[in-house]
Structures are given as structure tokens and as C-alpha cells.
Amino acid sequence: MQITVIRADDSVTHLALSGRLDVQGVNAVKDQFTFQATARHRATLVDLAQVSFMASLGIGMLLEAARALRHRGVKMVLLAPTADVRKTLESAGVQQVIPIAATADAADALLQ
Amino acid sequence: MLPTPCCNDVGKQALMASAIEIILTNDLRELVQVHAAAQQLLRAHAIVGTAAYIVDLTLEEILTNTIRHGYQDAERHQIVVCVSVLDGIIELHFVDDGREFDPTAAVPVDLSVPLEQRRVGGLGLHLVRELTGAVRYERRGRENHLWVSIAAG
């Protein structure tokens, strides 16, 4: 599991995750992800297009970051999960608390 | 105490059945080999895509739960997983000698609570119940036996 900072400016933090968000993947990146996502107190876009697998611990990592951002009054949006990852997220009811966008344009609109 | 082999159940001898038995210890680092072995069996049966993903997820969630929460000592324990494919159904059979735990009786996760109250606890079992076909549990002596069925197509 890897994290790439796509963009970090005054308006948004855009992070891309790639690989498996299983127990090993979460252990490998959780601290770095949490820091990258929350330290700047900016609206955060988490690109999931290259995430091949999402377990409950991965969902927990996303929820924790979203909570921290919400506490600061900023939003998180998840971008372009694969069909299987999206099904996992929706089965866990994630979309009810963190918006999921299929495209970058839709994500930008949700972050406003 | 070692769990009993689980691929000898009556019914698994059918001509078209194919099964593997994976023995691991209560070490999360061994999950990689479990996933690889299961996916190899599924590929041999041309099972890919969503069905293979759900098998992967079920293995991850059940075994992570067992390893992290199933034991009250620091000892090494064995867990047995049987993965079988028969007539379009993938069955996972988990056997462990951890504390008695019936996943089918776990308290349902409340997905209606707001973000501030969302917790991960129980979410893995919720996903297994939501995404698989059938889940069955039995306590046999000092062993937990869990069967999960997943449609192959």
C-alpha cells in the first residue's frame, strides 16, 4: 500500500492510495495517511482508483481521518473506487458519512 | 490443541469438488499465504472478479478477527481454513481453538449513526454477512467451526 500526494495547496489536499487496504496495508500507511489527510486542515480528496482491496480496517482508517477533518469543519470525499471496493464501502454505509464520487469533477463539486 | 482437519466433511468427496486445506498460526503475517493459496484454487476454477474478491474479503475479515480477538493467551495457535468449490458454490470452513465465539450472533452494526459515532468494531463481520450467501456456526468441543458460502458466479 502506497500513498501519493497529488496536490496540496490552499484549497485541497489530494491523496492517492494504491494497493491493498488490508490489515498489512493499513499498518503500513495509517500514520502517514492520517497525517497527510488531516494535518493541513484542508478539504481532502482520497483517490481510491488504484486500491484493489478494502477491508474493514481500511474503512476504519478512512472514517478516522474524515472524523478529524469534520471536527475542523472540512470535508473528505472518496474518488473513483473500483466496483468491488465501492460495493464494500456501500455495504458498510460509508457513503452516508463520506461522499463517494466517480469522477474528479463530481468530487470537486462535493468538496465545495 | 490442534483444530481438526476440515476438508474431510461428508459431501466434499463429490467428483466435481475441489478443495484445499490451509493451516496457519495466529499470526497476521501469514494471511498473505492464505490469500494466495485461495486465489490459486479459484483461478484453477476460472473464478475471478467479484466472487474472488468476496472470498478474499471473507478470509481477511474472519481470520483477522480470530487472530486479534480469539485468544486470551500469548501462545501459538493453529487455525485451519478449508476452501472448496462445488457446483458453483465456494465454501470457506474455518476451524480454530480460540474462545467460543458465534459470529452469526454478533450484535448488528448500526449504520444509521453519524460519522462521529461510527466505529470499526463488528464491521468486518457485517461485511461478511452482507456480501456472502450463507454463514453457519457450530461449537464442537473446544473448537469454533464457521462455514461461509459464496456464489461463484
Side-chain angles (χ1 to χ4, degrees), chain A residues 21-110:
Chain A
L21 267 178
D22 54 14
V23 62
Q24 311 286 5
V26 170
N27 284 343
V29 303
K30 183 176 179 182
D31 290 345
Q32 184 188 1
F33 173 79
T34 301
F35 175 77
Q36 296 282 7
T38 66
R40 302 180 65 251
H41 306 159
R42 294 290 186 271
T44 297
L45 182 59
V46 183
D47 193 325
L48 299 178
Q50 300 303 314
V51 172
S52 58
F53 180 82
M54 175 74 68
S56 61
L57 285 177
I59 294 173
M61 185 183 81
L62 297 173
L63 289 174
E64 189 177 312
R67 252 197 303 274
L69 288 167
R70 174 80 64 86
H71 187 67
R72 295 284 182 176
V74 294
K75 298 178 183 177
M76 173 187 282
V77 173
L78 305 179
L79 173 62
T82 66
D84 287 329
V85 170
R86 185 171 191 132
K87 177 72 173 171
T88 304
L89 292 168
E90 291 176 346
S91 295
V94 171
Q95 76 284 4
Q96 297 164 5
V97 293
I98 306 175
I100 303 173
T103 66
D105 287 344
D108 284 341
L110 289 168

Side-chain angles (χ1 to χ4, degrees), chain B residues 26-49:
Chain B
N26 51 329
D27 184 335
L28 290 170
R29 292 170 295 184
E30 295 188 25
L31 292 186
V32 173
Q33 292 101 295
V34 176
H35 289 301
Q39 292 300 316
Q40 184 175 22
L41 174 68
L42 297 182
R43 277 195 302 273
H45 287 264
I47 297 172
V48 295

Side-chain angles (χ1 to χ4, degrees), chain B residues 17-75:
Chain B
S18 176
I20 58 169
E21 186 169 275
I22 308 164
I23 300 173
L24 65 151
T25 65
N26 51 329
D27 184 335
L28 290 170
R29 292 170 295 184
E30 295 188 25
L31 292 186
V32 173
Q33 292 101 295
V34 176
H35 289 301
Q39 292 300 316
Q40 184 175 22
L41 174 68
L42 297 182
R43 277 195 302 273
H45 287 264
I47 297 172
V48 295
T50 297
Y53 180 94
I54 294 173
V55 169
D56 211 9
L57 184 63
T58 303
L59 290 168
E60 177 78 12
E61 299 295 353
I62 297 298
L63 291 174
T64 300
N65 206 59
T66 300
I67 291 170
R68 295 178 77 196
H69 305 299
Y71 305 98
Q72 295 168 310
D73 56 39
E75 301 300 313

